[in-house]
Amino acid sequence: MHLVLLSMEKSLTSRLHRFAAARVSPEEEFGLHLTLGVLALLLAMAGFARIAGAVAAGAPITQLDVDLANWLHVHAHGNDVLRSVLMVITQLHSTPGVLALTALAGWWLVRRDARHWMLTLVATVPGGMILNVLMKHTFERARPHFDEPILTLTTYSFPSGHTVAATLLYGLLACYLTRHAHSWGARAGWTLLACLMVALVAGSRLYLGAHYLSDVLAAMAEGCAWLSICVTGVSTLRRRQAARIARDRRTSTNLSEKN
């Protein structure tokens, strides 16, 4: 009986070891890419839930939202040049602008024969923008209010649609470019550039008085969560397809050798 239990324990340990090794293997169908994708998803969802809960409960961050919005609004009226530049940036990342940028990025990916990435782009950006509309109608948070507003908008504020769209678009392009970069320096550079673009768009929404700080922070978390789902999902499908083709080829080769 002791030998049987010992054998079962060794077998279970061996299976757990193989399972853990497969989860961190870059070559497995459900390997390292899936592990990292799920981890990123969980972290982003936790961040979004924390911010959303604080906003719903009227936590101190909501007072910081109001104080920062009022401070930026006062300074925005004193700098016409910066306000004009940020207005161009915010218009470029409106729904029509982002869809145009997405179409341009899709054309570029097709030209590079990156069809799986083009599929990821289609699922990521338009899908994430639709998700954000649903989120807005779930929370129904009013936008910042000023006596002399720079922008007058009637839609809801939480989370920021511009920031979500920028996070999705530039995040996906960063994923593609870092995947094909040949050095860690290049990967860090593309990642930093994507983060700066998202921060620039988010900053423009804050400066122009269209959103609170928590709106753009929640949008970044929401965008990262949806990006993780789309990139990981399409990558897993591609890997499964490649593995199935490889198995079919091996089967055909073995049958040919037997015949």
Side-chain angles (χ1 to χ4, degrees):
M1 185 65 179
H2 177 70
L3 293 177
V4 173
L5 292 176
L6 183 61
S7 176
M8 292 175 61
E9 183 180 352
K10 289 183 177 179
S11 176
L12 178 61
T13 302
S14 177
R15 287 199 296 270
L16 289 175
H17 182 269
R18 288 197 301 270
F19 177 83
R23 297 295 72 76
V24 297
S25 171
E27 309 301 329
E28 289 287 335
E29 297 177 45
F30 304 102
L32 183 61
H33 74 286
L34 182 59
T35 302
L36 293 177
V38 171
L39 179 60
L41 172 63
L42 294 176
L43 290 175
M45 289 179 61
F48 179 85
R50 184 73 178 268
I51 297 170
V55 169
I61 192 174
T62 58
Q63 184 59 49
L64 174 61
D65 283 340
V66 174
D67 293 342
L68 179 61
N70 290 332
W71 186 86
L72 288 173
H73 183 69
V74 171
H75 288 76
H77 280 281
N79 194 326
D80 294 339
V81 175
L82 180 58
R83 188 172 69 247
S84 298
V85 171
L86 293 179
M87 185 69 77
V88 171
I89 292 172
T90 204
Q91 291 298 331
L92 182 61
H93 293 86
S94 63
T95 299
V98 165
L99 291 178
L101 291 174
T102 300
L104 183 62
W107 172 80
W108 178 71
L109 289 171
V110 170
R111 287 289 301 270
R112 293 178 64 88
D113 198 30
R115 299 187 182 277
H116 282 93
W117 282 98
M118 205 277 284
L119 175 61
T120 309
L121 178 70
V122 172
T124 300
V125 180
M129 293 170 71
I130 293 172
L131 173 65
N132 188 68
V133 172
L134 297 176
M135 288 291 182
K136 282 179 178 289
H137 285 275
T138 298
F139 290 95
E140 297 185 347
R141 188 186 195 186
R143 292 183 183 272
H145 175 74
F146 307 102
D147 293 334
E148 298 179 3
I150 299 174
L151 294 176
T152 301
L153 302 168
T154 58
T155 53
Y156 294 121
S157 183
F158 184 93
S160 166
H162 284 63
T163 307
V164 164
T167 302
L168 295 170
L169 176 60
Y170 297 119
L172 184 132
L173 291 176
C175 288
Y176 174 79
L177 291 168
T178 54
R179 175 70 176 78
H180 293 83
H182 299 293
S183 68
W184 283 106
R187 295 186 182 98
W190 287 122
T191 301
L192 179 61
L193 180 59
C195 292
L196 288 175
M197 289 302 300
V198 173
L200 184 61
V201 174
S204 74
R205 302 304 285 167
L206 292 175
Y207 193 83
L208 296 172
H211 285 289
Y212 294 112
L213 176 62
S214 57
D215 295 340
V216 299
L217 293 178
M220 292 176 189
E222 177 195 358
C224 288
W226 183 250
L227 180 65
S228 299
I229 292 173
C230 294
V231 171
T232 305
V234 175
S235 178
T236 301
L237 290 175
R238 179 179 60 82
R239 288 169 179 267
R240 291 197 66 186
Q241 183 182 38
R244 185 165 55 249
I245 292 173
R247 286 194 296 268
D248 292 342
R249 286 177 178 173
R250 286 196 299 268
T251 301
S252 299
T253 301
N254 291 337
L255 291 176
S256 299
E257 291 176 352
K258 288 181 179 179
N259 294 334

